[in-house]
Amino acid sequence: MIQHLNITLYGQVQGVFLRRTVEHEANRRGIVGCVRNEPDGTVYVESEAEEATLKKFVEWLKAGASGGGDFQIAQVEIEEGTFKAFSEFEIR
């Protein structure tokens, strides 16, 4: 079943190529949605995919988004959201 998650990332997450890394990983996993910087210093991710795929994506985020970068994810906040039928994953 397709699921929609709203994810907020806290820590040293802006200005450190995290959005590009998240976009790459989402595309690699077949996830659609978007990622953007928020004025409060967090990074916000909307993601849609099969539940099992999103579970592994969230695990990857909680592990610190391994794969490079100078970012440090201190906290990952997740809530279920409303399905929006994204057609791709993009940086906003």
Side-chain angles (χ1 to χ4, degrees), residues 40-65:
D40 65 359
T42 61
V43 168
Y44 177 73
V45 182
E46 288 193 61
S47 54
E48 295 178 347
E50 291 290 332
E51 186 176 351
T53 300
L54 289 181
K55 181 179 179 183
K56 291 188 180 292
F57 182 62
V58 167
E59 289 171 1
W60 175 80
L61 289 168
K62 287 182 175 179

Side-chain angles (χ1 to χ4, degrees), residues 5-85:
L5 294 181
N6 300 323
I7 305 167
T8 304
L9 306 173
Y10 297 85
Q12 184 179 342
V13 293
Q14 288 192 10
V16 289
F17 299 101
L18 178 58
R19 290 179 301 154
R20 179 72 60 206
T21 302
V22 169
E23 177 196 38
H24 175 76
E25 188 67 15
N27 285 327
R28 189 180 79 74
R29 294 177 183 266
I31 297 169
V32 295
C34 64
V35 59
R36 69 176 182 254
N37 285 339
E38 293 292 297
D40 65 359
T42 61
V43 168
Y44 177 73
V45 182
E46 288 193 61
S47 54
E48 295 178 347
E50 291 290 332
E51 186 176 351
T53 300
L54 289 181
K55 181 179 179 183
K56 291 188 180 292
F57 182 62
V58 167
E59 289 171 1
W60 175 80
L61 289 168
K62 287 182 175 179
S66 59
D70 294 328
F71 44 81
Q72 293 182 341
I73 299 172
Q75 180 182 347
V76 179
E77 188 176 281
I78 304 154
E79 62 181 37
E80 288 194 38
T82 304
F83 182 71
K84 295 185 180 177

